[in-house]
Amino acid sequence: MNTRNETTANGYTRKWWKEAIVYQIYPRSFKDSNGDGIGDLKGITSELDYIKGLGVDVIWLSPHFDSPNADNGYDIRDYRKVMTEFGTMADFDELLKGVKQRGMKMILDLVVNHTSDEHVWFVESRKSKDNPYRDYYIWRPGKDNKEPNDWISFFSGSAWKRDDATGEYYLHLFSEKQPDLNWENPGVRSEVYDLMKFWLDKGADGFRMDVIPFISKHQGFPNYPDDYDGRPEFIYAAGPKLHDYLQEMNREVLSKYDVMTVGEAFGVTLEQTPLLVDERRHELNMIFHFDVVRLDRGEAWRWKPWTLPDLKAIYSRFDKGLDAHSWHTVFLSNHDNPRAVSHFGDDSPGYRVQSAKLLATMLLTLKGTPFIYQGDELGMTNFPFSRIEEFDDIEVKNAWKAEVLTNQVSPDEFIAHMLKTSRDHSRTPMQWNDSPNAGFTSSSKPWLAVNPNYKEINAKQALADPDSIYNHFKKVIALRKDAPALVYGDYKDLDPANPLVFSYTRTLGTDKHLIVLNFSKDEVTYPLPRGVKAGQLMVSNIECNEEDVSLLNLKGWEARVYKA
Ligand code: NOJ
């Protein structure tokens, strides 16, 4: 569809990336084609019809670049080479060709806040203070034989590591194998722009940008301020030159292509959001904001229960805080979060299917480009971890060392927290069928254990069952594609304080949709607010014949979309 220069009745410029639905692939866990227990590019190519079948338009491929895998590919050793375990450049080209042949697009992961410590730039940089690459990274002398400041890494411990070769410290906001690049250096920026062009010229359709707000740092490297609340991302995301860099990147690269950009905006507040995504500023198209996926975290990110009014308040706050010049995303899970149905639904056998369908209905009818994480279309659930040895994630392993091995947290408390929050829940292999290891690999040893529930929850079952979660996604995706109001329409939460029911409208001109979601297993009699009527039922997750009514009888986890 040519959407150039068209504006909607409520002032949005139409863009393909606003109308698109994105499907995220974590290659390591998607499909293994060569029996080494690790997913690969050929595996993805072999399942493109499955992805296309859902009706999605864009694939976001998590990092597929050469990497020693300290952080599963988010530590890049060579930006122009494919990770050996994932295949070759020819496999990448074949994948991209298959994506385009099916009328889809593909965006790549741009990880340029840091590289691997095995990247040739860092190998050189650490050699001596006068090495030409020294200034590609952030080196500082120690203070009184200690770290230059009190910053901590997201993967536990100080964010500085002393390097023996020169006795200076380098900054790493993530693991010590992920040194931060020095964006103050114009040479670094031009290397980044070049590698972006390399992939865009190959035909990639844009980027998801990893922790992009962290690229600019206060050069004085002050300690945390006195009113520091224990959430370092809000300090790291507030560097002074972020917007200069993004505008330069836009000028040098992005403006020359018709691409989608989405920034992972950890540490960005609602107030700062338009600075990144207001189209008149020429920075990014949209960002991932973390309020929803961090809704159930309290002090020091410890798990706490969440409530529906709190969830609704986030969506309303964003809707009110962004005008028609800005665009947003909606996501409930990704490779850094627990499974959507375990997090926001009810993954017990009686309600898993219904609640996963309800979440799909919400994801696809809120305002913002929806991102589906692989396996959520099957209602894949969290993994029943019980021992530290079962985890792979560096974040978990480092936290275990820092918290449990120092006796600050008991092993039971640690595992209980990880059962709710670990990133590994969403990284277990895709469940394709009921054969050993869910058909993910022919190896008897997948890199991470397959969830034991794969015999019931798998793609083969989902494709054969017209009432499956996969087929529900498909229906709501088709509905969204037919209804501009579900993409661009104004959003109104009809009942913000209701603790069980989430009801909202999406309105564009005379086209109005009403969405009603029962976020509980209880049956709820729900009188619609005055002036709102449920008209024709467009989609539901439970058979229902209530139409043209103002009182709804909702079953547990029932979701309906009406023409209002
Ligand atoms: C965010 C990525 O999504 C996560 O997986 C990674 O560990 C960090 N950034 C560091 O790259």
Side-chain angles (χ1 to χ4, degrees), residues 71 74 114 155 174 178 208 210-211 264 335-336 423 427:
D71 186 21
Y74 283 93
H114 45 268
F155 295 159
F174 294 89
Q178 292 165 294
R208 172 269 186 187
D210 192 69
V211 290
E264 188 206 20
H335 64 291
D336 292 332
R423 310 196 296 178
R427 298 177 179 187

Side-chain angles (χ1 to χ4, degrees), residues 143-182:
K143 271 199 182 143
D144 308 325
N145 270 331
K146 291 222 298 280
E147 291 78 15
N149 73 6
D150 61 1
W151 285 12
I152 54 153
S153 139
F154 289 106
F155 295 159
S156 303
S158 170
W160 297 94
K161 165 97 176 155
R162 187 180 175 282
D163 202 46
D164 283 343
T166 59
E168 285 195 327
Y169 290 78
Y170 67 87
L171 181 73
H172 61 89
L173 297 183
F174 294 89
S175 84
E176 49 185 72
K177 283 190 67 63
Q178 292 165 294
D180 280 49
L181 282 165
N182 176 21

Side-chain angles (χ1 to χ4, degrees), residues 400-419:
W400 174 268
K401 280 186 219 140
E403 296 171 20
V404 180
L405 300 189
T406 57
N407 295 322
Q408 290 172 49
V409 174
S410 76
D412 286 353
E413 193 194 334
F414 186 89
I415 298 288
H417 176 67
M418 289 305 166
L419 267 176

